[in-house]
Amino acid sequence: MTSPDGGGERRTFTPDFLTELFRNPLDPGYADAAARRAREGPRSAPRRRAISAISALTMIGVGFLLVVAYQQTIADEPGRTKARATLVEQVQHRRDGTVALQNGADELRAEVATLRERELGGAAVARLRDLEAATGLASVHGPGAKITIGDGPTAVNPVTGKQSNDARVRDSDLQLAANALWAAGAEAIAINGQRLTATSTIRQAGEAILVDFRPVASPYEVVAIGPDSLADEFRDGYAGRFFRELVARYGMSFDATGVHDVTLDAATELKLRVAVPSTPPVSGDPPSPGPDSPPPAGTPSKGGR
């Protein structure tokens, strides 16, 4: 085609892919091979035998490599199985040791409580028990509410195959439930049996939720002791509306019911950071040191408190 400006330069246009495909359906490589066969004739018998021998040797080599790899995998399997069994045994041994230490600590705690009650008077023991119940150092029982929150179905992206965690309960959800119960008048709260205290933590660690560094799993039961209307106030409050929205959007489970009599165990491994006497000093005694006061002479500045 001549250019519109009248010059002698010829401009060519490349046809689109579909037009070229219908015009020349045979791949150029196949056309060249057919032309070469027509020009040179069929392959000779020695050449065919050589190609067959090379193909056979190639297949034998590949098969040999596969057999060697399989034998190596089988040979290494007992070692991996033994290492895994050793790790499982170590974990179980450590777990049994932890349980034994926890039982020993519980026995010593009970012995200390018995000696303390024997040495103190009745009024002091009653006041001490009230303080222990309020701080989580003693088990408590009474009416309250039980909040149950569970994971929803795991959604899978049909294109990428990636799983979505939107329907899983998160640490912030449990924090919201605990704070709403405290605000509604709860006196004691436990999540899956883990008693909450003033120093408790609810954190996310990967896909697991830790309450005071102990894993808890779905369904999550948040049990609280408080007034008889605790479950109704939670259900009708902002937390109840939030969890109902999660149920409608992600298919999670949520339930808030009242309980007449439930027992919450004492918290374990409660660590005290600062202790200040609550009784006023006797006249003539020096004032009690505060949290920021320097330690007296001869006492360590750090360590167990």
Side-chain angles (χ1 to χ4, degrees):
M1 178 181 293
T2 307
S3 59
D5 56 3
E9 183 181 359
R10 190 173 185 81
R11 182 182 299 172
T12 59
F13 297 93
T14 303
D16 60 89
F17 175 74
L18 291 177
T19 304
E20 182 66 21
L21 179 64
F22 284 107
R23 181 180 300 172
N24 300 313
L26 185 63
D27 187 88
Y30 289 103
D32 294 341
R36 186 171 59 254
R37 178 180 291 273
R39 185 174 58 253
E40 298 177 359
R43 294 175 180 175
S44 60
R47 187 177 180 184
R48 288 198 302 269
R49 286 195 294 270
I51 293 177
S52 299
I54 294 175
S55 300
L57 290 176
T58 302
M59 296 299 295
I60 293 174
V62 172
F64 176 75
L65 292 177
L66 291 176
V67 170
V68 171
Y70 176 76
Q71 291 180 347
Q72 185 66 29
T73 303
I74 296 299
D76 294 341
E77 184 62 26
R80 288 194 294 266
T81 304
K82 183 178 180 180
R84 182 179 182 277
T86 302
L87 291 176
V88 171
E89 183 180 358
Q90 292 178 358
V91 170
Q92 187 63 37
H93 179 70
R94 295 293 179 86
R95 186 177 300 168
D96 295 341
T98 302
V99 172
L101 291 175
Q102 185 63 47
N103 294 335
D106 294 339
E107 293 177 359
L108 292 175
R109 189 179 296 110
E111 184 178 354
V112 169
T114 301
L115 294 175
R116 182 181 56 200
E117 293 180 2
R118 188 174 62 187
E119 295 297 330
L120 296 176
V125 171
R127 184 171 181 271
L128 185 60
R129 287 178 177 175
D130 292 339
L131 292 175
E132 287 179 340
T135 56
L137 287 174
S139 61
V140 292
H141 67 90
K146 182 173 70 173
I147 315 300
T148 305
I149 311 168
D151 295 335
T154 302
V156 179
N157 191 311
V159 177
T160 62
K162 184 179 180 180
Q163 295 184 350
S164 174
N165 296 328
D166 293 339
R168 295 179 64 91
V169 178
R170 301 176 181 176
D171 56 346
S172 57
D173 300 333
L174 296 182
Q175 293 171 7
L176 174 67
N179 291 332
L181 288 171
W182 289 124
E187 300 175 3
I189 300 176
I191 300 178
N192 283 24
Q194 298 295 323
R195 181 79 172 273
L196 299 184
T197 65
T199 59
S200 293
T201 57
I202 304 174
R203 297 177 179 174
Q204 193 94 19
E207 295 185 356
I209 296 179
L210 305 181
V211 178
D212 286 338
F213 302 102
R214 295 193 175 189
V216 292
S218 178
Y220 304 94
E221 290 188 351
V222 185
V223 182
I225 292 179
D228 296 334
S229 60
L230 186 60
D232 296 334
E233 292 186 12
F234 184 91
R235 190 185 307 109
D236 299 335
Y238 66 93
R241 293 192 298 270
F242 172 77
F243 287 116
R244 284 194 296 272
E245 180 67 21
L246 293 182
V247 171
R249 181 174 299 182
Y250 302 112
M252 298 169 60
S253 60
F254 163 67
D255 184 39
T257 58
V259 290
H260 298 291
D261 189 11
V262 66
T263 301
L264 302 184
D265 295 331
T268 58
E269 301 180 2
L270 182 62
K271 298 179 180 180
L272 299 179
R273 292 176 172 82
V274 176
V276 179
S278 59
T279 57
V282 181
S283 178
D285 292 343
S288 300
D292 299 328
S293 301
T299 59
S301 60
K302 295 183 179 179
R305 290 180 286 178

